[in-house]
Amino acid sequence: MQATRHSLFCHGSGCAPVTAVDQYDVVILGAGAAGMMCAAVAGQRGRRVLLIDRADEPGKKILISGGGRCNFTNLHAAPDRYISANPHFMKSAMSRYSQHDFIGMVDRYCIAWHEKTLGQLFCDGSARQIVAMLAEECAMGGVEMALGADVTGVEHRDGAYFVSFGARRAAAPALVIATGGPSIPKMGATGYAYDLARHFGLKVVEPRPALVPLTLGGDEALFRSLSGVSAEVITRCGKTSFREAALFTHKGLSGPAILQISSYWRHGQEIGVDFLPAEGEAWLAALKRAKPRATVRSALGGKLPDRLAEALAERLELAGELGNLTDKALNAAERRLADWRFKPNGTEGYAKAEVTVGGIDTAGLSSKSMEAKRVPGLYAIGEAVDVTGWLGGYNFQWAWASGWAAGNAI
């Protein structure tokens, strides 16, 4: 959903003249995961629903997710796996529409799926099956879709929201912001939701890219020579940690473990990486006694990819056989390998970010209905809101749950 800033909103006589205003019970801006779910639920409850999106087809982000197979939810979805200024906000919606509810819908449509890892559920076939399912749910509710339509004006007066798009104008007592965040701009994503929220007096928690690769500079740029090398690690930032694969890139660090920790990382912070999470305490000293003629390089080579083992051994600067090294030196090397510090100089930005941390402040919304507390009839759902899940289907589950909550409240 996108509109030029100078024509984002209009007021009264300032709007472009149109000959008629089409009446609805609700206008939903954004035909993504949350918007389609909300539209389907509201429509099947008998509401007259208009769903608007500037894209020429619904669910474009759904189509590219999960490598085209859509990681549509996670078996372990729970509120403690989401980031928000209010960690309790998502509890109401998620308890009333859980991952098992969405799985039930997928099963009713006979869409085959599988668990890939860590509770992540994917379609066996194509993400288009999920979009088709949601489109059918919308059709069952008589939802009208206006696709390829740029919104040129939004105003609120006399208890109604007036939305101008193309040569048309629609009015409804309820308006839903479901246009997402600015992540993946090549798909048409913008900060429109935040501008619209601010226009109506809602606060916005500063957004930043999340689930995004981190970049390295200075001495750490030497690790770029490892581009393409991956290993299972534990990443840490503050009190948060993840055990998954990390990948070295020509710009810095990526892979699931890095994407996960990136949502918690802030500029200026360090992250810690445990390159040998399976090793116990004093494993190098024990190896020294068992194989005194081994080297740090050979010790690492048996546990890590060769290029990574060589790079780490060089930086540890412990040459020679283990039998000639002190236990103190080996223990220090162990501690560094278990908490190797990196200080990223940034991220690869919204272009590579899967989602956005921050968004419309939940303090101004009802956790039950997603309606703005001080602006009757205005709702915000999905990624537009300050609720961000872990990698692996969690953000889709928030889209389903928040869309369901709003759709049932309208």
Side-chain angles (χ1 to χ4, degrees), residues 85 194 198 203-208 357-362 386:
Y194 310 147
R198 291 188 185 102
K203 294 181 179 179
V204 174
V205 176
E206 180 183 3
R208 67 182 193 276
V357 164
I360 299 172
D361 193 345
T362 61
D386 176 32

Side-chain angles (χ1 to χ4, degrees), residues 186-202:
K186 69 180 181 181
M187 300 298 297
T190 70
Y192 180 85
Y194 310 147
D195 294 335
L196 189 56
R198 291 188 185 102
H199 174 73
F200 287 111
L202 300 183

